[in-house]
Amino acid sequence: MQNKIGVIIAAAGKGTRMGSEVPKQFMSISGIPMIAKTYKAFAKSQLVDKIFIVTNEEYMETCKDLVMSCTSFDERKKMGAIIQGGDSRQDSVYRGLKAIKNLDNSFTHVLVHDGARPFVSEDVINRTISRTIETGAAVACVKPKDTIRTRERTLDRGQLLHVQTPQGFDIGLLIESYEKATINRLEGTDDASLVEALGYRVAIVEGDYGNYKVTTPEDIPKTMGVGHGYDVHRLVEGRRLILGGVNIPHEKGLLGHSDADVLTHALMDALLGGSNMGDIGKLFPDTDIKYKDISSMELLRNVGLKLSRKGVTISNVDITVMAQRPKISGYIEAMKKNIAAALGIFPYQVNIKGTTTEKLGFVGREEGIAAEAVCLLNL
Ligand code: CTP
Ligand code: MG
């Protein structure tokens, strides 16, 4: 008989330990929803025939949409069904198993995997499937890196394993194990333990340290965001020249609705851009009387607050001011201090440099001053 492999992705948990707004399986991880990333890992394997996702009742539609919108045509072809989960992982997987059996009786083996393990590799998947076909039951494990002890004594690390998923089984064996566990009111935190309770030996397959379960906020890989901003203001008589919050003596100043601090405006746009929050035009419209002649340092403080409310921190910012005159080098330290204070960062995280444009263009003709800024953000 030819082997037919079904995969159950258990994704019906609440993610209590993560403490996020949506259950962790729907959070974005490296730019893609965790559940879609997990699905794609299995869809890629040549050995996998169909994938069934068990998820929370109220997220069944969302789950389907997320997976459908993040997958290729070939990956989508492997979608089996979205199945409503239960109160415990065991309950959810059992519901998945029963649904598969009802939908299609021809599966020979089933792999169970946590939706919260999006980093599973194709190698681990294929190794587990091969061993499952050979032995009827196989589980991916890794050796602990830390010494493990009970409160009373240190355990022999050589004897211990961290249990991961996927865990693969002959489908009949797994169904029988779940039936028996239900009758005997046996609760296990994984599938292999239920199979072993029947007296069946489960083979150990080499897992992968990268295949960890995303459980608490530290488990979410950090991502960076790069931001870029550009601004120009016209130089006119009768206005003060303010750059980086410093009033620079000059015969002309910059024209604008606010104090026209072009350097700070470019910086704000970089910060808003890098954190995907639009731009200053959207945030502080110049049609709003509230912002007339307002200090750009105040606006910058506001942008800094918006970033920190989103949990975004600043790694560094780098700003270039293009001005034919005046020379700004003598004011840079004061500007760095102002900007760092407004953003709640250190002056060494702020770099400012000035350049002329060799008398070329509008900057060279001293008609205006331009500024560009880039920043690196921890999202
Ligand atoms: N799971 C499930 N159904 C449940 C509980 C858990 O399908 N009723 C799934 C989770 O979605 C997860 C996997 O089982 O992919 C492993 O569980 P765990 O890491 O404990 O996830 P949660 O139960 O969601 O998290 P927590 O225990 O912190 O609430
Ligand atoms: Mg749990």
Side-chain angles (χ1 to χ4, degrees):
M1 188 176 61
Q2 230 207 316
N3 293 312
K4 187 165 170 181
I5 313 291
V7 176
I8 296 178
I9 298 181
K14 292 193 168 68
T16 326
R17 285 169 288 177
M18 181 62 69
S20 51
E21 241 166 77
V22 292
K24 61 187 178 185
Q25 55 271 31
F26 304 113
M27 286 170 68
S28 187
I29 206 138
S30 326
I32 165 170
M34 196 187 303
I35 186 63
K37 194 165 165 59
T38 308
Y39 175 94
K40 284 164 80 74
F42 284 89
K44 218 162 74 179
S45 165
Q46 296 284 323
L47 302 178
V48 167
D49 293 294
K50 282 272 184 244
I51 303 165
F52 299 83
I53 303 178
V54 186
T55 197
N56 325 52
E57 185 183 5
E58 64 273 36
Y59 285 98
M60 287 172 74
E61 272 305 307
T62 311
C63 181
K64 191 171 176 193
D65 291 347
L66 290 177
V67 172
M68 290 301 163
S69 61
C70 297
T71 42
S72 69
F73 179 72
D74 281 341
E75 288 169 338
R76 282 198 286 276
K77 279 201 294 206
K78 294 203 178 174
M79 172 58 87
I82 309 270
I83 298 151
Q84 187 185 323
D87 287 338
S88 64
R89 182 187 185 281
Q90 186 168 328
D91 198 11
S92 295
V93 174
Y94 195 18
R95 283 171 183 244
L97 266 176
K98 286 188 279 198
I100 293 182
K101 200 79 188 150
N102 281 337
L103 288 166
D104 180 346
N105 209 4
S106 65
F107 287 96
T108 55
H109 298 85
V110 62
L111 237 58
V112 183
H113 186 73
D114 294 326
R117 290 185 196 269
F119 306 112
V120 60
S121 68
E122 202 177 344
D123 280 352
V124 171
I125 293 171
N126 290 346
R127 268 204 294 275
T128 310
I129 294 176
S130 304
R131 252 344 234 148
T132 300
I133 292 169
E134 277 165 34
T135 64
V139 51
C141 294
V142 287
K143 290 180 186 154
K145 294 183 188 176
D146 294 326
T147 295
I148 301 182
R149 54 169 302 136
T150 65
R151 286 185 194 282
E152 284 70 39
R153 67 187 183 90
T154 302
L155 303 174
D156 174 9
R157 198 174 66 189
Q159 291 296 313
L160 298 172
L161 293 171
H162 279 297
V163 177
Q164 302 188 328
T165 67
Q167 306 194 353
F169 309 91
D170 172 280
I171 193 164
L173 173 65
L174 193 61
I175 290 175
E176 191 190 342
S177 306
Y178 268 86
E179 282 168 353
K180 285 274 162 57
T182 310
I183 294 166
N184 298 333
R185 292 173 194 272
L186 172 66
E187 279 177 35
T189 52
D190 76 341
D191 316 285
S193 57
L194 305 184
V195 172
E196 275 165 345
L198 282 190
Y200 202 92
R201 247 185 105 79
V202 176
I204 306 296
V205 176
E206 195 184 337
D208 179 337
Y209 287 114
N211 178 29
Y212 64 88
K213 184 161 65 68
V214 177
T215 307
T216 53
E218 306 75 52
D219 298 331
I220 305 277
K222 296 278 170 271
T223 46
M224 309 288 277
V226 61
H228 170 255
Y230 175 73
D231 196 26
V232 175
H233 280 270
R234 191 181 285 277
L235 273 169
V236 294
E237 273 164 21
R239 289 268 303 182
R240 297 191 305 161
L241 174 60
I242 295 177
L243 291 174
V246 177
N247 195 347
I248 301 176
H250 192 52
E251 69 267 19
K252 287 181 177 176
L254 294 171
L255 183 64
H257 183 68
S258 64
D259 62 3
D261 183 340
V262 68
L263 180 160
T264 306
H265 291 183
L267 173 60
M268 288 191 281
D269 263 354
L271 295 169
L272 292 169
S275 53
N276 199 8
M277 290 199 282
D279 62 21
I280 47 174
K282 190 171 116 190
L283 225 61
F284 315 114
D286 61 9
T287 46
D288 193 332
I289 188 76
K290 208 167 49 192
Y291 303 119
K292 175 114 179 67
D293 295 324
I294 194 168
S295 158
S296 296
M297 281 298 133
E298 208 172 302
L299 302 180
L300 182 64
R301 213 166 293 129
N302 197 318
V303 168
L305 271 177
K306 283 206 158 25
L307 257 60
S308 66
R309 275 194 207 113
K310 229 184 154 194
V312 174
T313 58
I314 298 167
S315 178
N316 76 306
V317 306
D318 185 18
I319 309 160
T320 304
V321 178
M322 284 151 271
Q324 191 61 44
R325 264 184 350 113
K327 212 173 164 55
I328 65 160
S329 52
Y331 305 98
I332 285 176
E333 282 313 310
M335 295 179 193
K336 284 172 63 166
K337 266 196 194 144
N338 285 345
I339 289 169
L343 292 173
I345 58 176
F346 295 102
Y348 67 76
Q349 292 172 280
V350 181
N351 190 70
I352 301 174
K353 49 209 185 302
T355 182
T356 70
T357 57
E358 298 285 342
K359 300 205 167 145
L360 294 169
F362 68 85
V363 168
R365 292 189 297 272
E366 297 184 37
E367 291 164 9
I369 293 181
E372 274 197 62
V374 289
C375 65
L376 195 61
L377 306 175
N378 308 300
L379 303 179

